[in-house]
Amino acid sequence: MSITPQMGQQGQQQGQQFPTTSPYQQQGFGPLGGQQGFGTGAGSMEQLQQLGQQQPFQQLLQQLGGQQQQQQPFGQAQQQDQQAQQQERQVQQELTQLAQQVVQQIVQQVQAQALASGVANGFIDIVHPLQGQPQQIFLRINGQFRVLNNPGPQIHQQIQEAFAFGHQIVGVWDTQSPNVLRSVRIQRI
């Protein structure tokens, strides 16, 4: 059976209404709903207010409102960042000045140190020191014993071999503490 336009008109004349499937007509937004469309006067404001009262739109408005509140402290955070950067620059400048002072002091100390050296003609090797005492090698240089503290096992062996084979062992010390060797050099000639 087919429906003719006349049959459709008869149904409307008898008061029967057919449901629509358009979401706009169901909510009353279209011309069939009896209201004006969006952007045409006072009806659109009412429609926006009705939309704003629906739950998904309420949540969206709350989220947007929360973001605006979060943006207000952003200016404060930016100001705090600038203050922190300024403090960091000040600390870096102070550290640079301090490092320069330390380097100058070290250079002055090194320049004030006078190093001396001499050839050893004998040695005493403390192979097993007393408990709590450091390993030590004493070199006799210019008739005086000078100590090398905490030498490694390889240094012990090299000094013993150097004396055994007749090589020169040169000790270097600071004149302010002449009994303590700063370094030892073995010359094989």
Side-chain angles (χ1 to χ4, degrees):
M1 172 177 172
S2 64
I3 298 177
T4 63
Q6 293 173 348
M7 292 174 72
Q9 288 175 357
Q10 288 174 353
Q12 287 179 354
Q13 288 172 357
Q14 294 174 358
Q16 295 176 348
Q17 291 185 354
F18 298 102
T20 67
T21 56
S22 170
Y24 299 108
Q25 290 176 351
Q26 287 176 355
Q27 293 179 6
F29 293 114
L32 295 176
Q35 295 182 2
Q36 298 175 345
F38 280 113
T40 57
S44 64
M45 250 338 237
E46 293 171 14
Q47 291 168 350
L48 286 173
Q49 288 174 348
Q50 288 174 358
L51 271 177
Q53 292 173 356
Q54 293 179 5
Q55 185 179 3
F57 294 105
Q58 285 290 332
Q59 291 173 352
L60 181 61
L61 287 172
Q62 288 174 355
Q63 289 174 354
L64 288 174
Q67 287 178 356
Q68 288 175 350
Q69 290 174 358
Q70 291 174 355
Q71 288 176 355
Q72 290 173 353
F74 179 73
Q76 294 171 352
Q78 197 173 25
Q79 186 178 16
Q80 289 174 350
D81 285 346
Q82 290 173 349
Q83 289 174 349
Q85 289 174 355
Q86 186 178 12
Q87 288 175 347
E88 185 176 342
R89 279 187 234 114
Q90 288 175 346
V91 168
Q92 286 177 348
Q93 288 174 350
E94 291 173 4
L95 286 174
T96 302
Q97 291 173 352
L98 181 63
Q100 289 173 347
Q101 291 173 355
V102 168
V103 168
Q104 287 175 353
Q105 289 176 354
I106 291 172
V107 167
Q108 290 172 356
Q109 289 175 355
V110 168
Q111 288 174 346
Q113 288 179 350
L115 296 178
S117 64
V119 177
N121 58 7
F123 76 101
I124 300 173
D125 190 355
I126 310 291
V127 181
H128 296 288
L130 296 173
Q131 189 173 2
Q133 297 296 315
Q135 294 246 343
Q136 295 177 320
I137 296 176
F138 291 90
L139 297 178
R140 187 174 60 207
I141 302 172
N142 299 336
Q144 183 177 1
F145 280 100
R146 303 177 197 279
V147 67
L148 179 63
N149 289 315
N150 297 314
Q154 187 177 8
I155 294 175
H156 284 279
Q157 182 180 358
Q158 288 177 349
I159 288 176
Q160 290 173 1
E161 288 176 2
F163 273 107
F165 294 112
H167 301 298
Q168 279 189 342
I169 300 170
V170 178
V172 179
W173 64 90
D174 181 1
T175 57
Q176 294 180 358
S177 56
N179 294 331
V180 179
L181 291 170
R182 305 274 307 254
S183 70
V184 174
R185 183 178 71 216
I186 298 174
Q187 296 178 346
R188 294 180 175 99
I189 44 177

